[in-house]
Amino acid sequence: MKWDEVTLVILAAFGCVTLLLAQISEVLSKLPHIIRAWRQVRHELRAGTDPGSRDHSTRGTAPGTPAVDPSDGDRTSREP
């Protein structure tokens, strides 16, 4: 093995290590957001509400009851 081949192997190895560390850094920087999203999903599943619905509210409304009355323009919730 010649010295130029050794140099290329070393450069390639350091390049791979750099890419690996960059990917690990990206995953670790997004981890808190992923954990918060997972906790939100678990909370929604326990509460029995559909997180994708337009009527989703953190207040305790009956299923099928809109949290906001679409006929009036304000965004206050109505108590039953």
Side-chain angles (χ1 to χ4, degrees), residues 11-25:
L11 286 173
F14 276 112
C16 289
V17 168
T18 302
L19 287 174
L20 179 67
L21 290 175
Q23 292 299 313
I24 290 172
S25 173

Side-chain angles (χ1 to χ4, degrees), residues 10-41:
I10 291 172
L11 286 173
F14 276 112
C16 289
V17 168
T18 302
L19 287 174
L20 179 67
L21 290 175
Q23 292 299 313
I24 290 172
S25 173
E26 284 293 317
V27 169
L28 290 177
S29 69
K30 293 178 183 178
L31 195 60
H33 178 69
I34 292 169
I35 291 171
R36 279 192 297 272
W38 176 245
R39 286 181 180 165
Q40 180 72 24
V41 167

Side-chain angles (χ1 to χ4, degrees), residues 1-11:
M1 197 182 224
K2 298 179 183 178
W3 283 108
D4 57 342
E5 293 173 354
V6 172
T7 304
L8 289 176
V9 168
I10 291 172
L11 286 173

